[in-house]
Amino acid sequence: MTIRNPIEWATDQLKLAGLVVGSASRAGVPTEDLDTRLPEVRSIRIADLGEVLARGFDDFGAYRTDVIFLCIVYPVIGLVLGRLVFGYGMLPLLFPLASGFALIGPFAAVGLYEMSRRRELGGKVAWPDAFGVVGSRSFGAIVVLGLLLVAIFLFWLVAAESIYEFTLGPEPPASIGSFAHDVLTTGPGWTMIVVGVGVGFLFALLVLVISVVSFPLLLDRDVGLGAAVWTSVRAVIVNPGPMAIWGLIVTGGLVIGSIPLFLGLIIVMPVLGHATWHLYRAVVPS
């Protein structure tokens, strides 16, 4: 048995994801009785993001025990990924894996959007209601869009591995100390940082553009995958400043939440998830 490098592994996963996406798009995406009207998109101010976050905190406070129970999986996944990185000599991928939460976060938070949606309707909400998304008529479209984000995440890992190989690689670091020394005190290390941050920004921008309101919209209305993604793109075009600030808020929150062994994600993820629902409500009127 041999241990495959990340590029080989990611390629296999992308092939598998493609098969699953094709199957889901045929079997789960609604094709009849869609609301064919494109939703209206309105302009918001940067100051409105404060209200969005306040409502996210309010939802978190209302269902604190429930969402903590749901979101405890995030630090567990982070710790498992970290263990795999160290166990298989993939130390250079530790940061790309951690930052990948920003790429798959919109999909991972779908259950939180559903809880906020149900609270908005005035019903009694508990953690099992987060799984009500499975009964949505748009569930197939949600799965397909989620798998697209997973594919983007895998491409990011491939890109991060390639950047490492062209700068500090191709040999893996001998230890954590030597890796930190090479990254922070050498020219190739700083090149890796600058190029990696730039490429990572492009991946994060892509995810923001296609998903900032698309998942909540699919939960709220049966509009179809294409209309949901295009509405998300329009939301960013109409609100470039607020959406840029929102992206920084999400990224900063996830970074801060990841630092103490990913434990901060137990708080950060539900707040950002609930707030994203209210951002959708602010941008796309009922």
Side-chain angles (χ1 to χ4, degrees):
M1 295 180 63
T2 59
I3 298 175
R4 295 175 296 168
N5 65 53
I7 294 179
E8 293 174 335
W9 176 81
T11 300
D12 289 344
Q13 299 309 306
L14 287 174
K15 291 178 180 177
L16 177 61
L19 294 175
V20 175
V21 167
S23 176
S25 62
R26 291 189 296 272
V29 178
T31 56
E32 299 179 356
D33 300 324
L34 290 177
D35 185 352
T36 57
R37 298 168 299 173
L38 283 177
E40 177 188 350
V41 172
R42 61 187 171 196
S43 177
I44 62 172
R45 301 169 302 165
I46 293 177
D48 293 329
L49 297 181
E51 177 67 17
V52 165
L53 287 171
R55 291 184 177 183
F57 273 106
D58 186 58
D59 283 354
F60 173 70
Y63 306 115
R64 183 168 54 249
T65 303
D66 293 294
V67 296
I68 285 178
F69 173 77
L70 285 172
C71 294
I72 198 170
V73 67
Y74 299 120
V76 171
I77 292 175
L79 291 173
V80 170
L81 289 175
R83 179 65 184 87
L84 290 174
V85 165
F86 288 112
Y88 290 96
M90 296 164 58
L91 184 59
L93 289 182
L94 179 59
F95 176 76
L97 282 168
S99 61
F101 277 110
L103 301 180
I104 59 176
F107 181 41
V110 167
L112 299 170
Y113 309 153
E114 177 68 4
M115 293 179 73
S116 288
R117 186 185 73 85
R118 295 195 177 203
R119 187 189 185 200
E120 188 178 87
L121 294 175
K124 185 177 180 181
V125 181
W127 70 265
D129 293 309
F131 298 97
V133 62
V134 176
S136 169
R137 293 186 62 191
S138 297
F139 181 65
I142 290 171
V143 170
V144 171
L145 185 55
L147 289 173
L148 175 60
L149 296 194
V150 172
I152 292 173
F153 170 65
L154 294 176
F155 274 118
W156 159 236
L157 292 184
V158 171
E161 173 68 10
S162 299
I163 292 170
Y164 172 78
E165 289 186 356
F166 281 114
T167 53
L168 294 177
E171 295 299 323
S175 66
I176 297 177
S178 65
F179 178 65
H181 175 271
D182 291 342
V183 170
L184 300 175
T185 65
T186 67
W190 279 103
T191 299
M192 184 186 72
I193 292 174
V194 173
V195 175
V197 169
V199 173
F201 168 79
L202 295 178
F203 277 96
L205 178 62
L206 173 62
V207 169
L208 175 70
V209 169
I210 67 175
S211 69
V212 65
V213 300
S214 53
F215 283 108
L217 176 57
L218 287 169
L219 279 176
D220 191 38
R221 308 183 196 179
D222 192 11
V223 298
L225 179 59
V229 171
W230 178 236
T231 301
S232 187
V233 173
R234 289 164 53 220
V236 174
I237 294 174
V238 172
N239 300 284
M243 289 302 177
I245 297 300
W246 179 250
L248 291 175
I249 290 172
V250 171
T251 301
L254 292 176
V255 169
I256 294 172
S258 299
I259 290 174
L261 296 177
F262 299 95
L263 295 178
L265 294 176
I266 296 175
I267 307 298
V268 171
M269 280 296 294
V271 171
L272 291 177
H274 290 309
T276 298
W277 171 263
H278 295 292
L279 177 66
Y280 156 71
R281 278 293 187 223
V283 174
V284 182
S286 302

